[in-house]
Amino acid sequence: MKVDLLIIGAGPAGLAAALAAAPSGAGIAVIDDNPAPGGQIWRDGPQAHLPERARTLRQALAEAGNVQVFSGSRVVALAGARRLLLEGAERGWTLAYDKLILCTGARELLLPFPGWTLPGVTGAGGLQALIKGGLPVAGERVVIAGSGPLLLAGAATARSAGATVLRIAEQASFLALAGFSARLLRWPGKAMQAMELLDAGYRASSHVLAALGRERLEAVRLQQGNRVVEIACDRLACGFGLIPNTQLGELLGCRVEQGAIAVDDWQACSLEDHFAAGECTGFGGSELALVEGAIAGHAAVGNRDLARALWPQRRHWQGFAEALARGFALDPKLKALAQPDTLVCRCEDVAFAELANRRDWTEAKLHSRCGMGACQGRVCGAAGQFLFGWTPPAPRPPLSPARIETLRCLEPEG
């Protein structure tokens, strides 16, 4: 199979890119690993409530006759020049393209602390996804901790599903949040959204110390200002912001700067005819992802005037992204959460003490199997970067577990 334009990811950036490029008449394919378009922010499911914007974009995508959407599919490996190996629920296949737009989004930064592997402890975004997928939480007591706007969004999702949110522990200081709130007036819609999500249990200068329990979570210990408090609960959702998903971009050879795929004014990568948009180029929210996706879509099919017209809008939302980064910068004291016996690599049961004196990722891997499990360093690699300053491991194919039948698609024809 071959297409003119391939888009990886059907979140806000991918949707906007496809719809911007579609009027050109180009043959377009969109690959996404979720069951339906929308990405993590507009994730569908039995308990999901999609906003009108998401439904409108999804309907427009379905009506675009020259756009094929392959949901429940993911990239496994490179299959040659401008060709990718893909796998869906039923089959594996290769797909060639002339131009490509990466809209691979971001994932949560999970930092290790005592008890973080107990049943009942998830990421903040992870809990949102589980609830939208049908996880029953009605009547459960929930504590949400970490950093960033995702904490408030996660709390709202849990509350709407019948859970009782006892505390939202934000590690950023009151002064940092006050500065962010003052700057938020430049984006009235975001200010209104923040007011709607504000929760009486929200606390600044507060972070998790430990999850407590034997067989599963029973309570959480928090540092709250100068006090240590313990709160009995059934679930703890803890996330410390987002990390751009750059693995495919790196594998293709796109330049990465400051942990994100580097792009120019046209959202073009360092690799010719390859573009990137959304949170894989840096976290800034759905509004920034939408305008970046539209710029990339227009530029990929040669509509540079339409792309350029969106530059002021992009700059407006880049300002919001910069305010987010300043307001929710992680406090270095979070590096002290892990104890010697705290697991850092949960796939291979590697404790903090086994890693603390290693010089870099390679040495840690040689001595401990750190990063050699199912997630291939996606979780512990980011944690190692924050805790020890290590450069995360370079991606290697396959990017995700794949069936033997899929890998056989790489065999030369004949």
Side-chain angles (χ1 to χ4, degrees):
M1 180 178 179
K2 186 176 187 298
V3 294
D4 300 317
L5 176 62
L6 177 61
I7 299 171
I8 309 296
L15 290 170
L19 292 174
S24 70
I28 301 170
V30 181
I31 305 296
D32 191 74
D33 59 359
N34 286 316
Q40 294 301 320
I41 190 169
W42 294 331
R43 189 183 184 93
D44 211 342
Q47 296 188 64
H49 302 285
L50 294 178
E52 182 62 32
R53 183 73 181 273
R55 292 195 296 269
T56 300
L57 290 173
R58 184 184 288 185
Q59 182 61 32
L61 189 69
E63 293 172 356
N66 58 323
V67 179
Q68 300 180 76
V69 179
F70 297 92
S71 296
S73 302
R74 58 189 180 275
V75 178
V76 174
L78 307 187
R82 303 198 185 195
R83 182 182 293 272
L84 300 179
L85 175 64
L86 307 172
E87 184 179 78
E90 306 270 325
R91 65 183 179 118
W93 77 103
T94 61
L95 194 155
Y97 60 88
D98 290 327
K99 296 184 180 181
L100 179 142
I101 304 177
L102 294 164
C103 302
T104 47
R107 64 188 186 279
E108 282 192 278
L109 172 60
L110 304 175
L111 298 180
F113 54 87
W116 76 302
T117 58
L118 279 172
V121 182
T122 65
L127 180 61
Q128 262 197 311
L130 288 168
I131 292 173
K132 290 178 180 179
L135 177 73
V137 295
E140 293 189 344
R141 302 161 299 170
V142 176
V143 172
I144 297 179
S147 193
L150 187 58
L151 304 187
L152 288 170
T157 299
R159 199 180 300 106
S160 68
T164 300
V165 178
L166 302 176
R167 184 62 44 86
I168 304 173
E170 168 57 61
Q171 62 85 39
S173 69
F174 177 80
L175 286 177
L177 293 178
F180 173 71
S181 299
R183 290 189 290 271
L184 203 56
L185 297 177
R186 287 181 53 197
W187 305 277
K190 287 293 187 182
M192 183 67 68
Q193 186 180 39
M195 291 297 294
E196 292 172 354
L197 293 175
L198 203 57
D199 190 283
Y202 191 82
R203 299 288 186 276
S205 300
S206 182
H207 64 268
V208 65
L209 292 175
L212 310 174
R214 296 192 178 186
E215 300 299 321
R216 62 163 291 116
L217 179 71
E218 297 172 11
V220 60
R221 183 179 295 139
L222 299 172
Q223 183 75 47
Q224 190 169 292
N226 296 321
R227 297 188 303 128
V228 174
V229 299
E230 290 189 7
I231 301 174
C233 60
D234 304 300
R235 292 192 182 274
L236 168 63
C238 194
F240 293 90
L242 297 174
I243 311 166
N245 281 325
T246 62
Q247 284 82 6
L248 179 55
E250 290 181 73
L251 202 61
L252 287 164
C254 300
R255 188 173 71 252
V256 172
E257 295 178 353
Q258 298 181 335
I261 298 174
V263 294
D264 65 12
D265 288 341
W266 308 101
Q267 298 296 139
C269 304
S270 59
L271 191 63
E272 186 180 3
D273 293 329
H274 288 66
F275 301 78
E279 291 172 349
C280 62
T281 66
F283 175 63
S286 61
E287 293 85 358
L288 179 58
L290 285 166
V291 69
E292 286 182 345
I295 291 171
H298 287 310
V301 295
N303 291 330
R304 289 206 159 198
D305 289 341
L306 292 176
R308 192 192 302 273
L310 294 171
W311 286 5
Q313 187 179 342
R314 178 178 59 191
R315 181 62 206 142
H316 176 72
W317 289 111
Q318 283 174 336
F320 176 68
E322 292 162 4
L324 275 176
R326 287 196 299 269
F328 295 97
L330 295 184
D331 193 316
K333 66 188 175 186
L334 297 174
K335 296 180 181 181
L337 293 181
Q339 300 301 305
D341 62 346
T342 302
L343 295 182
V344 175
C345 175
R346 56 195 301 172
C347 295
E348 294 293 330
D349 291 341
V350 182
F352 181 87
E354 297 181 67
L355 304 174
N357 296 317
R358 304 302 178 191
R359 289 174 300 178
D360 54 27
W361 179 264
T362 301
E363 184 178 322
K365 192 172 183 178
L366 285 171
H367 288 84
S368 69
R369 288 190 56 83
C370 183
M372 297 177 71
C375 88
Q376 288 291 287
R378 283 176 173 82
V379 176
C380 58
Q385 183 176 27
F386 179 78
L387 294 172
F388 311 119
W390 295 344
T391 299
R396 299 195 310 174
L399 292 175
S400 59
R403 298 185 293 269
I404 296 297
E405 290 82 358
T406 296
L407 299 178
R408 288 187 62 187
C409 294
L410 294 175
E411 291 181 345
E413 293 184 7

